[in-house]
Amino acid sequence: FFLQVLLFWGQEPNYDESKVPSFILPDPLIMENGEIVTTKEEWIEKRRPEILNLFETYVYGKSPEKPANLHFEVLSEDHYALSNMATRKEIAVYFTESDEHYMTILMYIPNKRNGAVPLFFGLNFKGNHTIYDDPDITESVTRMEPRDGGSEIRPNAFKRGEASSRWPVEMLIANGYGLATVYRGDIDPDYDDGFQNGVHPLFYKDGQTKPKADEWGTLAAWAWGLSCAMDYFETDEDIDASKVAVFGHSRHGKTALWTGAIDQRFAMAISNDSGCGGAALSRRKYGETVSKINKLFPHWFCENFKQYSDNEDKLPVDQHQLIALMAPRPVYIASAIEDRWADPKGEFLSGVFATPVYELFGQDGLPIKDMPDVDSPVIDGYIGYHVRTGDHDINLYDWQQFVKFADKYLKK
Ligand code: GTR
């Protein structure tokens, strides 16, 4: 079986730093026509839209405009959740004018609050009911059933609270933050079904049966869904919509960064172990590569991205520019030292190479050039970073750093 997996991936991943090829990264501050960007105005008006468009066209795919008839419904509200510490709400966000297709936002808001609160917001893997052992959370179900035998694992196969080690609900509430999440399968189930379920078909033009080569894959659809949730947050007076941090682990970390890029209403983005197609530089080809990710997850990116499998040097962008799209907003990159598949050093370097864009705004990006020691977070600049002990996961240690970082920017 192992051999088969290797064959499927094409080759063994490279984990040898001496075998990382030399490469030249696209310069975030040089326009495609060669002009050099020297002011923040030029960045905002010219270079940022140019880079965003390159990522849309060649990496994640363009998403449709949000529907004008996006509407919301509060499905439940309980002011005595978490032993009276929090208010729990569930909100349906309907994607079209009918009430057929929707995602459910689950949120906890601290009861001890002076006005609207800052919020951490991100996708979950296994259903809303898995993030916390609370009998009153509505169990996620797959509303958008696979039409031809796809294999997305059904969220109701997962136990209530089974992902709770990743979701420190009490700690966030005690620190004055709200927490909100959506089951990603509500937006687009995570398997390659030719884009027949999920939100994609809701937006096909007449006769269209799949996204065009430069149109949204699954990661872009998830980001689009998170952006729809922001429309809701703007209507909820318990939430300070100008202080929402979008976060995510792994594939959801990639999504969080893309969400922050397409929707500048998010005040902060947090990437945890996001790796290839997230914070890690593609040109390093360390651990997971463009070719491996396109084979393993052919539905994540747009079709155009496939032309860069084993052809990273031709990519018109690299992932440091995705970090740069957050500027001047704060962004946090977290790695785990044993998670070599996600290339911790490549994640760190994206922060280093995004820094010149922050400097245009007179801000410190990532204030160091060499990787810090394990378990020594760097949270002084607008780009925060840590590499912690351990493997691919998001745990309390990661969250403690995110809270420290967020306290600096979202508690002002
Ligand atoms: C892996 C994938 C990574 C990462 C991870 C996850 O299998 O290769 O890119 O996204 O899954 O989401 O946990």
Side-chain angles (χ1 to χ4, degrees):
F1 169 72
F2 188 60
L3 254 180
Q4 263 177 331
V5 170
L6 286 186
L7 279 176
F8 181 62
W9 283 348
Q11 66 211 135
E12 260 188 279
N14 176 41
Y15 291 138
D16 181 348
E17 194 58 39
S18 73
K19 294 204 178 107
V20 169
S22 60
F23 53 82
I24 297 170
L25 289 176
D27 190 324
L29 296 183
I30 301 183
M31 299 281 301
E32 297 307 290
N33 67 9
E35 275 173 37
I36 297 176
V37 173
T38 56
T39 65
K40 61 179 190 224
E41 289 75 20
E42 286 168 345
W43 168 261
I44 292 167
E45 283 154 31
K46 294 187 184 165
R47 183 60 172 152
R48 187 180 192 281
E50 186 171 68
I51 293 176
L52 187 68
N53 183 52
L54 291 171
F55 274 109
E56 283 184 322
T57 309
Y58 298 104
V59 183
Y60 303 101
K62 295 181 206 296
S63 300
E65 292 289 313
K66 267 175 294 179
N69 36 32
L70 202 67
H71 55 292
F72 319 111
E73 184 186 351
V74 178
L75 302 173
S76 73
E77 181 158 1
D78 175 359
H79 295 272
Y80 306 100
L82 266 145
S83 315
N84 301 345
M85 296 294 285
T87 294
R88 182 190 56 250
K89 296 193 215 183
E90 295 174 308
I91 294 99
V93 176
Y94 298 104
F95 297 127
T96 60
E97 76 263 20
S98 86
D99 286 359
E100 197 184 342
H101 298 295
Y102 64 102
M103 61 181 186
T104 306
I105 304 174
L106 164 69
M107 58 194 219
Y108 289 94
I109 312 286
N111 283 341
K112 212 171 125 204
R113 61 177 186 270
N114 283 322
V117 294
L119 184 75
F120 285 99
F121 176 48
L123 295 172
N124 65 72
F125 281 74
K126 296 177 171 180
N128 288 350
H129 60 290
T130 65
I131 75 141
Y132 191 66
D133 188 7
D134 175 343
D136 293 323
I137 299 174
T138 304
E139 190 174 278
S140 293
V141 292
T142 306
R143 271 185 289 273
M144 297 173 181
E145 287 295 328
R147 287 179 201 163
D148 47 15
S151 59
E152 166 82 338
I153 306 163
R154 296 285 183 280
N156 54 12
F158 296 109
K159 284 202 219 56
R160 200 163 281 282
E162 79 164 78
S164 56
S165 69
R166 291 181 166 186
W167 298 85
V169 182
E170 281 120 348
M171 184 274 256
L172 294 174
I173 295 295
N175 279 280
Y177 290 93
L179 173 66
T181 185
V182 166
Y183 170 53
R184 54 113 187 277
D186 279 6
I187 307 168
D188 188 22
D190 189 13
Y191 65 94
D192 180 23
D193 72 322
F195 302 106
Q196 296 312 300
N197 63 21
V199 290
H200 297 88
L202 305 178
F203 297 91
Y204 288 157
K205 305 267 176 339
D206 279 349
Q208 189 174 7
T209 56
K210 62 172 193 192
K212 294 199 194 109
D214 65 350
E215 288 179 345
W216 54 344
T218 291
L219 296 181
W222 291 342
W224 176 93
L226 296 182
S227 172
C228 291
M230 177 54 102
D231 286 33
Y232 167 73
F233 297 142
E234 289 185 327
T235 69
D236 187 325
E237 54 191 29
D238 294 336
I239 290 173
D240 184 343
S242 71
K243 292 187 174 144
V244 180
V246 58
F247 73 90
H249 168 61
S250 205
R251 66 198 69 185
H252 301 163
K254 310 180 209 292
T255 307
L257 292 174
W258 184 235
T259 307
I262 60 166
D263 190 339
Q264 295 189 74
R265 293 174 299 174
F266 287 96
M268 175 182 290
I270 300 169
S271 143
N272 194 79
D273 303 354
S274 63
C276 182
L281 292 174
S282 300
R283 280 169 174 76
R284 275 173 49 81
K285 299 190 224 176
Y286 184 102
E288 186 169 33
T289 61
V290 171
S291 136
K292 292 179 202 303
I293 207 165
N294 277 330
K295 276 187 205 148
L296 282 168
F297 304 100
H299 56 297
W300 278 1
F301 299 87
C302 71
E303 199 54 35
N304 277 341
F305 192 52
K306 305 230 162 82
Q307 69 198 67
Y308 302 104
S309 291
D310 296 317
N311 192 23
E312 289 84 352
D313 287 326
K314 290 275 157 42
L315 265 169
V317 286
D318 211 319
Q319 299 304 112
H320 61 306
Q321 291 165 297
L322 180 62
I323 303 297
L325 291 177
M326 281 304 296
R329 297 161 295 159
V331 54
Y332 198 99
I333 304 170
S335 308
I337 196 69
E338 284 165 38
D339 185 13
R340 295 180 306 163
W341 181 242
D343 187 12
K345 185 167 178 193
E347 295 180 319
F348 170 76
L349 287 175
S350 272
V352 172
F353 294 120
T355 290
V357 178
Y358 282 80
E359 288 170 349
L360 279 186
F361 289 87
Q363 293 171 344
D364 257 358
L366 189 51
I368 50 168
K369 297 265 174 289
D370 294 313
M371 257 185 104
D373 290 340
V374 174
D375 301 328
S376 310
V378 178
I379 55 171
D380 319 331
Y382 274 76
I383 304 177
Y385 180 80
H386 75 248
V387 54
R388 65 157 166 75
T389 304
D391 211 339
H392 191 67
D393 197 3
I394 179 167
N395 65 19
L396 187 60
Y397 179 88
D398 296 314
W399 277 106
Q400 284 163 340
Q401 314 320 315
F402 304 154
V403 166
K404 270 188 217 156
F405 188 68
D407 281 349
K408 287 177 52 180
Y409 300 108
L410 305 183
K411 287 278 184 72
K412 272 187 237 162

